[in-house]
Amino acid sequence: MKILLHSLPRRSWLTARRPLSHLTMATDPTIMSVTSSAQGMNMFQAVNDAMKIALETDPTAIVFGEDVAFGGVFRCSQGLQERFGKDRVFNTPISENGIAGFAIGYAATGGTAIGEIQFADYIYPAMDQLVNEMAKFRYRSGNQWQAGGATLRMPAGAVGHGGHYHSQSPEAYLAHTAGLTVVMPSSPKAAKGLLLASIRSKDPVIFLEPKALYRSAVESVPLGDYEVELGKARILREGSDVTLVGWGAQIQRLQKACDLAKEMDGIDCELIDLQTIVPWDAEAVEQSVLKTGKLVVSHEAPITCGFGAEVVAELQERCFWALEAPIKRVCGFDTPFPLVFEKYYLPDETRNLEAIREVVRSSR
Amino acid sequence: MLSSTLLKGNRHIVRAATSRYYFSTGPAVVFDLSGSFQTHNLETAPNETTECSKDELWNMFELMYTMRRMEITCDNEYKARNIRGFCHLYDGQEAVATGILQALDEKDSYITSYRCHCIALARGGSVKQVVAELFGFEDGMTKGKGGSMHFYNKKHNFYGGQGIVGAQVPVGAGLAFANKYNTPPGERMPVAIGCYGDGAANQGQIWEAANMASLWKLPMIFCIENNQYGMGTSIDRHSSHSDYYKMGNHIPGVRIDGMNVLAVREGMRFVKDYCASGQGPMYVEMMTYRYHGHSMSDPGTTYRNREEIAFTRSTRDPLEFVKKCLVDAEFATPDELKEAEKRIRKDVQQQVMEAKESAKPSMDSLFEDIFAKDLVSRSGSEFPPHIRMPDYAKSFWIDGKPE
């Protein structure tokens, strides 16, 4: 059965442009750019570029997953099979558990396995492989074997119409596992650098890509080979009144909330993008909270036992005496991710604005 | 790729009409089904002929045509952005659902994947309920909370409608177990049928379910709707072994031409008979095809030729086949069929319009049905006193907007 050469869908209602996101092209001190030439790219193009560079520079690198051969359902792997061949870029059957285990095995021999899970909502059949095999391989073999070459990337987060099974953010389930690194970028430039760092990391990484940003987030992305350090948060906006912590697509909403707070109430917010969920940069958040005395944490995932709970617990321990007000979390509710109620469920900029105001109002 | 013996099954030879009366549905005609079946590990096989009366055949045609019109309407509504979310259409596979439903009865549990609009329709649903659910309105089958992938009907033993590929099969094994457990020994058990696609057939949990079903002789039908593609990958490329009816190994299997609704019905009667008598599970493979892509986000042409789709539509379309049967058996004239099509088209349009008049479910239903009883509310299990929307006037207050 012939497979037609991949052709891009034409602009139609399906690919209607959403308004450009709130991204600014501020220089980021954590990115070391090797060349000065850059190009406007959206997130799926940035991810594609990172994988292309990984395949070019590492002869053992392979890319596999469901439907990646024709480019993937979000075009992240487009052109890769044509360029690098069928033995390096190939489709797998619908077997997430198999994909994860397969990645671990290949990585254990020293190879670089870049697996794709089609949606983060489908990670659960693979949980045993991730939690019990991938995370613990180095530990239980006394450092003889390890799965560091494995990177599993997957689209995550709300997209406007995803419903129960195309909108989840499972970072909390994965963060609870010692041995795994969980990364979630919030912009194309960071995505490319973080993905290259994740692929080359000596530890296995789960790379969650906010699917809402695939097309809508556009940024000037350097064309060369560069990495963004894992485990380091970045401060997107400096301020002295309140610290806001978030990750992924939520950063867009937090940026808007910061703007609203500044315009309407003159509140100066400091916005921190964790980038790496585990191991996370608690020092950066601590330094910020010592300065501002107030903290709001915000994420799409449900509030109970979301990763925000970890941030709050750690920060209250480190900064209790510096806090001027209780820490607030603005998150999704404890329900399955709804379809028709999505806009009420998501912690949008106005809910965050209310939280910022309350934290400032109640502070001593 | 498809064996030529199966294509032959499409040629039905109507033998001389018998004067036998079928209950109250009029005289029956005998249809030839030779070549529609292949068996594995079985000494018997489904009948090579089947009797069908005028009413039965007309019912099948009308149901299938309603399914087809409904799916096409869903396509249009999705493109008009009235349906949001994910939408997986079933057109091309109508004969499978219709045939299975003719062979099974309402006591038999039915569980399937996300490609479930037509089965929801056939198992006690109406076009209005299905389409209202797709629109996200509260008149829908699951009160607007499920959407395209989640249709259920308790009264008709339809367990849905699952989003995760293959996850419905172990659940089906549980349903089969319940059927066996609740039937006195020696009596015929209601069966459980779990439908899944060729893409799902290699999921690990299906092997687990098959082992349990075989070990405990559960009345479970493992029904693989083989539409030749697992999402965007053809069976050659995602399955090392694509004789799915043999996949059960020692579990017997039947392969049925899924574009011939009469073959599906007759084959499923055979399968149900086998499973209900306590001999254990059976694998059934339906050879079928889907015209649309995997979902509405998939044009369906990046991994297959348009010629292939057009060829299947012109030579193996299940609706054309049923119409041909009706005409050949002199149960209907082409004009009567055209009339019926017009009538059904209008009816579907009418029901869609009625569905559009429904409304979104109330906000409180976001938190309903998470637990059996409302547990003590915690920070995440209720709305805060109010949720601010960017437009203040649209904000949501639990106890009414303060003056």
Side-chain angles (χ1 to χ4, degrees):
Chain A
M1 186 64 65
K2 265 195 290 191
I3 289 184
L4 288 180
L5 270 183
H6 161 75
S7 56
L8 282 169
R10 276 179 225 107
R11 279 269 170 261
S12 68
W13 63 275
L14 277 171
T15 55
R17 275 233 202 246
R18 295 204 199 94
L20 276 185
S21 67
H22 188 283
L23 286 163
T24 54
M25 304 201 301
T27 45
D28 192 321
T30 61
I31 294 178
M32 312 152 342
S33 101
V34 173
T35 71
S36 58
S37 62
Q39 188 182 304
M41 282 190 212
N42 61 27
M43 191 176 272
F44 78 72
Q45 289 165 331
V47 166
N48 186 261
D49 204 29
M51 286 203 281
K52 189 186 69 146
I53 292 174
L55 286 163
E56 275 169 1
T57 52
D58 180 349
T60 70
I62 55 173
V63 171
F64 53 95
E66 294 158 24
D67 295 336
V68 298
F70 74 72
V73 289
F74 290 108
R75 308 275 166 255
C76 292
S77 55
Q78 74 186 16
L80 294 181
Q81 189 180 67
E82 280 87 350
R83 186 153 163 176
F84 297 100
K86 289 201 175 122
D87 50 338
R88 292 183 75 191
V89 180
F90 53 92
N91 281 348
T92 61
I94 306 177
S95 312
E96 286 77 17
N97 204 9
I99 290 172
F102 184 88
I104 296 165
Y106 185 71
T109 65
T112 301
I114 309 170
E116 174 180 300
I117 302 287
Q118 200 167 74
F119 283 86
D121 313 54
Y122 310 155
I123 193 78
Y124 307 110
M127 281 303 269
D128 177 66
Q129 287 291 342
L130 296 179
V131 170
N132 281 331
E133 310 302 324
M134 196 185 258
K136 301 174 170 56
F137 212 170
R138 190 192 292 275
Y139 190 89
R140 59 187 154 95
S141 68
N143 205 12
Q144 291 186 70
W145 299 111
Q146 42 77 38
T151 306
L152 274 187
R153 30 170 301 278
M154 58 199 79
V159 72
H161 52 267
H164 304 313
Y165 299 119
H166 296 82
S167 319
Q168 294 177 38
S169 306
E171 70 267 8
Y173 296 112
L174 300 162
H176 192 57
T177 313
L180 287 182
T181 304
V182 179
V183 178
M184 196 189 265
S186 66
S187 72
K189 192 154 83 169
K192 178 176 164 180
L194 286 168
L195 184 53
L196 278 168
S198 302
I199 291 169
R200 292 164 178 168
S201 161
K202 298 273 185 293
D203 296 303
V205 178
I206 313 294
F207 194 81
L208 301 165
E209 297 162 1
K211 64 176 86 69
L213 301 182
Y214 273 143
R215 285 186 216 273
S216 66
V218 180
E219 210 177 11
S220 174
V221 178
L223 286 169
D225 189 342
Y226 68 95
E227 293 181 25
V228 171
E229 196 182 340
L230 296 182
K232 280 264 166 299
R234 63 173 171 164
I235 301 183
L236 288 171
R237 199 192 263 251
E238 302 222 359
S240 50
D241 290 329
V242 190
T243 304
L244 256 57
V245 173
W247 48 88
Q250 188 65 8
I251 294 287
Q252 305 298 312
R253 301 179 197 112
L254 291 176
Q255 291 272 27
K256 288 196 195 128
C258 292
D259 288 342
L260 286 171
K262 185 78 199 189
E263 269 170 47
M264 297 172 74
D265 300 323
I267 300 175
D268 220 4
C269 301
E270 181 147 303
L271 178 58
I272 300 182
D273 174 12
L274 278 192
Q275 294 194 134
T276 305
I277 311 292
V278 276
W280 63 290
D281 195 351
E283 280 72 35
V285 183
E286 181 186 354
Q287 291 308 312
S288 176
V289 174
L290 288 173
K291 182 171 67 166
T292 63
K294 303 181 253 323
L295 175 61
V296 173
V297 185
S298 185
H299 57 71
E300 282 178 21
I303 189 168
T304 298
C305 275
F307 195 71
E310 171 64 27
V311 175
V312 171
E314 182 68 19
L315 260 302
Q316 68 82 30
E317 200 178 326
R318 291 185 186 216
C319 306
F320 185 83
W321 305 110
L323 284 170
E324 295 168 17
I327 305 176
K328 276 205 83 66
R329 288 178 295 166
V330 187
C331 308
F333 300 113
D334 287 332
T335 71
F337 198 103
L339 177 61
V340 293
F341 299 121
E342 182 168 329
K343 70 168 181 189
Y344 299 107
Y345 174 93
L346 283 176
D348 65 3
E349 55 271 12
T350 30
R351 262 169 69 190
N352 277 291
L353 173 64
E354 293 288 298
I356 293 170
R357 283 175 164 170
E358 195 183 317
V359 144
V360 165
R361 218 180 358 236
S362 65
S363 67
R364 286 197 263 116
Chain B
M1 189 188 313
L2 300 161
S3 73
S4 55
T5 45
L6 284 167
L7 286 173
K8 273 192 227 142
N10 242 10
R11 275 183 297 123
H12 56 281
I13 304 159
V14 172
R15 293 214 234 109
T18 68
S19 56
R20 224 176 304 179
Y21 277 79
Y22 233 103
F23 302 103
S24 57
T25 52
V29 165
V30 177
F31 291 88
D32 180 22
L33 300 172
S34 54
S36 305
F37 307 112
Q38 281 174 279
T39 60
H40 165 72
N41 255 353
L42 275 169
E43 278 153 14
T44 49
N47 291 334
E48 294 267 292
T49 59
T50 186
E51 278 183 21
C52 194
S53 71
K54 176 176 172 179
D55 283 357
E56 286 175 346
L57 201 52
W58 261 99
N59 282 339
M60 286 196 258
F61 163 70
E62 288 187 356
L63 180 58
M64 285 167 64
Y65 194 70
T66 310
M67 288 178 179
R68 177 68 64 91
R69 291 310 315 168
M70 187 178 76
E71 294 297 69
I72 291 178
T73 308
C74 293
D75 183 341
N76 294 332
E77 292 294 336
Y78 194 91
K79 290 183 175 149
R81 307 202 81 167
N82 291 327
I83 298 177
R84 310 295 315 283
F86 290 79
C87 192
H88 308 83
L89 299 178
Y90 199 72
D91 54 325
Q93 298 181 211
E94 297 92 353
V96 174
T98 309
I100 292 176
L101 282 149
Q102 296 282 317
L104 267 44
D105 63 46
E106 299 256 299
K107 288 210 208 68
D108 298 317
S109 313
Y110 200 131
I111 193 168
T112 183
S113 69
Y114 41 79
R115 208 176 293 283
C116 58
H117 302 170
C118 296
I119 298 152
L121 175 70
R123 266 267 167 146
S126 65
V127 173
K128 177 175 168 202
Q129 279 177 315
V130 169
V131 176
E133 181 64 34
L134 290 168
F135 289 146
F137 293 154
E138 61 186 346
D139 277 351
M141 222 175 219
T142 33
K143 307 181 201 162
K145 286 170 72 171
S148 163
M149 297 195 287
H150 310 289
F151 285 98
Y152 303 86
N153 197 322
K154 182 157 185 189
K155 234 172 65 168
H156 298 263
N157 265 328
F158 177 50
Y159 291 83
Q162 327 297 324
I164 300 296
V165 167
Q168 65 271 22
V169 184
V171 178
L175 297 172
F177 178 79
N179 283 340
K180 179 168 181 174
Y181 191 79
N182 290 326
T183 307
E187 280 183 27
R188 292 178 63 80
M189 310 176 256
V191 300
I193 178 166
C195 290
Y196 54 101
D198 48 291
N202 287 310
Q203 277 274 323
Q205 49 196 327
I206 294 177
W207 304 100
E208 294 180 11
N211 182 44
M212 288 193 264
S214 180
L215 197 58
W216 301 325
K217 290 215 179 340
L218 303 180
M220 168 83 182
I221 302 173
F222 291 84
C223 180
I224 298 128
E225 293 178 289
N226 183 357
N227 58 22
Q228 311 299 312
Y229 293 92
M231 290 196 295
T233 314
S234 69
I235 49 175
D236 293 337
R237 279 173 231 281
H238 75 64
S239 195
S240 61
H241 169 95
S242 44
D243 288 333
Y244 295 101
Y245 69 114
K246 292 183 182 165
M247 246 180 188
N249 228 329
H250 54 281
I251 299 176
V254 181
R255 177 184 258 173
I256 303 177
D257 176 7
M259 302 305 237
N260 178 342
V261 64
L262 294 168
V264 174
R265 185 182 73 156
E266 194 57 40
M268 287 308 298
R269 279 179 179 160
F270 170 80
V271 172
K272 174 175 157 123
D273 192 48
Y274 179 92
C275 295
S277 58
Q279 297 177 73
M282 193 180 279
Y283 266 63
V284 177
E285 180 184 353
M286 302 282 184
M287 302 298 289
T288 180
Y289 197 82
R290 56 164 159 83
Y291 296 140
H292 273 89
H294 163 71
S295 72
M296 285 304 299
S297 323
D298 171 19
T301 47
T302 50
Y303 49 87
R304 53 184 189 175
N305 283 331
R306 284 185 215 271
E307 288 91 63
E308 180 188 293
I309 307 171
F311 178 75
T312 311
R313 227 188 249 275
S314 58
T315 56
R316 295 180 66 219
D317 185 44
L319 271 175
E320 292 303 315
F321 178 77
V322 161
K323 290 201 297 200
K324 193 162 183 298
C325 284
L326 279 165
V327 170
D328 285 351
E330 292 174 13
F331 286 155
T333 63
D335 288 330
E336 282 176 358
L337 288 172
K338 278 214 181 61
E339 278 305 306
E341 286 182 3
K342 252 203 261 180
R343 176 177 38 91
I344 293 173
R345 222 180 282 219
K346 250 187 71 184
D347 182 44
V348 166
Q349 271 176 340
Q350 171 70 18
Q351 293 200 52
V352 169
M353 271 180 29
E354 282 174 25
K356 283 190 177 161
E357 281 160 28
S358 176
K360 280 218 171 104
S362 90
M363 289 294 306
D364 299 330
S365 67
L366 171 61
F367 293 105
E368 273 167 19
D369 299 327
I370 297 174
F371 294 104
K373 284 174 54 139
D374 294 322
L375 292 192
V376 174
S377 63
R378 307 170 49 80
S379 63
S381 300
E382 59 175 17
F383 287 118
H386 86 290
I387 294 183
R388 273 283 310 277
M389 292 283 121
D391 177 353
Y392 200 77
K394 293 203 174 89
S395 300
F396 175 74
W397 276 267
I398 287 278
D399 290 322
K401 186 174 169 178
E403 295 311 314

